[in-house]
Amino acid sequence: SVRKSGQAMPCRFCSVRAKRHLLEFPLAAALGPKAGEEQLEALGRPVPRYMLKACNGDRCLALRRWKETLTWRCNIGDEEIVSRPNPMYFKIQPHYPTFLHLTDRSGRLTYWEIIGKMDPSALKNAGITVNDIRANYIWQTLFTWDVWLQRDDVQEGTVIVDLEGFRFSQVTLFVVQMFAKTSSIIQRHFPDRDHVLIVINAPEWWGRVYDLFSPLFPEKQRRKLRVSVGQQASMQTLREYIDPKNLPAEYGGSSGPLGSAPADAARRRSAAEGASPAARLKGARARAATGVGPLGLT
């Protein structure tokens, strides 16, 4: 993708708006109404297996959804997003901490959201908007799947959400809008990529939060939810899915703390410097050393 004066320009996968663009980006015609899987395969962007899985094996539906996702990726300039620095990450992270950490027992990368330490007031006081959080979430998601996991279309993730310290008074319109916008991105463009969603340290009034946010997720994803109330039950659940040697020290494990894993260190470097092709290769080698995903591009 190419961006000029802050506007995303069409890339070779886009449905272009004018004949001039068709001449400049002839491969973009593959996203026309008669496009097929063979054309996308020739472009190096075949229908990914996770999209087929999300569509229950319906190839026509998966093809249609994948073309919509490729168009969306072009409109936002996905390749440039991950190639340039993301200073907003460093502004948001202290007030809405998220981490990539070591793998679960089945070799899946773990993603941690520490919702109990989220501070909506601090986010707003820092001038951070819901759209800023959405843009940062897109960047994080693209980094995880496109840069760190090199577009591996089979790999899934294990998501851990820690609610310790979270208060019902924090469920404001700002927070509801924030989760609504970020969840819609996942459902539309990165469906069925989470293996399980583990909620730990849930408060006794968890059911009220679930009733509020569950409509944001399809039934298929709600079936992946595993909720533990209290610290003892939460530690048991974590150990069921994650070997203690890969659990962060603050969660009773013997690995380094959250933020120390190679994937998270690479994410911080990418936010500071952008993910150059060399950085992507370095990430692939680090992944190989930690046993997460294949080296090759899909």
Side-chain angles (χ1 to χ4, degrees):
S1 298
V2 180
R3 188 177 296 267
K4 185 176 182 180
S5 302
Q7 298 298 315
M9 299 295 288
C11 73
R12 58 178 181 162
F13 303 118
C14 286
S15 55
V16 290
R17 298 179 177 86
K19 289 182 179 180
R20 178 176 60 86
H21 289 147
L22 279 172
L23 293 174
E24 292 176 0
F25 304 96
L27 296 181
L31 285 186
K34 296 183 180 180
E37 291 188 55
E38 298 81 6
Q39 290 168 294
L40 292 178
E41 182 119 19
L43 294 178
R45 297 304 297 268
V47 177
R49 283 168 282 188
Y50 70 81
M51 191 67 80
L52 274 171
K53 180 183 175 184
C55 296
N56 298 314
D58 185 331
R59 301 196 73 87
C60 291
L61 177 59
L63 176 61
R64 186 173 79 242
R65 289 193 61 180
W66 181 232
K67 288 191 290 185
E68 290 172 355
T69 290
L70 287 177
T71 301
W72 170 78
R73 280 173 167 268
C74 288
N75 287 339
I76 65 171
D78 63 338
E79 293 182 358
E80 189 185 350
I81 283 176
V82 295
S83 68
R84 65 174 185 262
N86 177 29
M88 187 57 68
Y89 165 82
F90 297 103
K91 296 180 180 179
I92 293 174
Q93 181 71 3
H95 312 302
Y96 179 12
T98 65
F99 302 92
L100 296 172
H101 202 62
L102 302 180
T103 59
D104 67 9
R105 291 185 182 274
S106 297
R108 302 180 188 91
L109 187 68
T110 59
Y111 170 73
W112 300 66
E113 288 204 1
I114 315 304
I115 300 298
K117 294 184 179 180
M118 181 180 65
D119 190 339
S121 296
L123 288 168
K124 293 179 74 174
N125 290 340
I128 296 167
T129 67
V130 168
N131 284 334
D132 290 331
I133 293 172
R134 177 181 180 273
N136 182 64
Y137 193 80
I138 290 173
W139 176 85
Q140 289 194 68
T141 305
L142 291 173
F143 172 84
T144 301
W145 298 115
D146 288 12
V147 178
W148 184 253
L149 292 174
Q150 297 285 286
R151 293 179 178 161
D152 176 3
D153 69 348
V154 175
Q155 186 71 246
E156 295 177 324
T158 289
V159 180
I160 299 98
V161 176
D162 187 354
L163 291 181
E164 184 176 10
F166 186 73
R167 303 181 305 278
F168 194 76
S169 60
Q170 291 176 270
V171 185
T172 62
L173 178 61
F174 179 86
V175 170
V176 172
Q177 290 176 335
M178 180 181 75
F179 284 117
K181 287 203 170 189
T182 54
S183 66
S184 67
I185 295 165
I186 295 298
Q187 303 313 317
R188 292 184 64 184
H189 303 301
F190 302 91
D192 223 16
R193 303 229 66 178
D194 52 333
H195 174 71
V196 64
L197 172 58
I198 304 170
V199 177
I200 59 173
N201 297 313
E204 296 290 344
W205 44 264
W206 154 257
R208 295 162 65 188
V209 176
Y210 178 80
D211 290 341
L212 184 63
F213 288 102
S214 60
L216 299 176
F217 304 96
E219 175 61 27
K220 189 174 183 180
Q221 190 167 25
R222 293 200 293 268
R223 290 198 299 267
K224 298 179 179 181
L225 186 64
R226 177 77 184 270
V227 181
S228 296
V229 177
Q231 188 175 45
Q232 184 176 354
S234 296
M235 294 303 103
Q236 289 176 347
T237 300
L238 285 176
R239 287 171 179 264
E240 177 183 340
Y241 286 94
I242 305 171
D243 191 293
K245 67 179 172 51
N246 280 0
L247 272 175
E250 57 265 50
Y251 290 91
S254 56
S255 81
L258 288 174
S260 65
D264 209 70
R267 189 174 68 158
R268 290 193 303 275
R269 282 197 304 273
S270 183
E273 305 169 3
S276 65
R280 295 189 190 200
L281 179 58
K282 185 176 181 180
R285 288 171 175 162
R287 275 197 350 276
T290 55
V292 182
L295 276 172
L297 293 170
T298 57

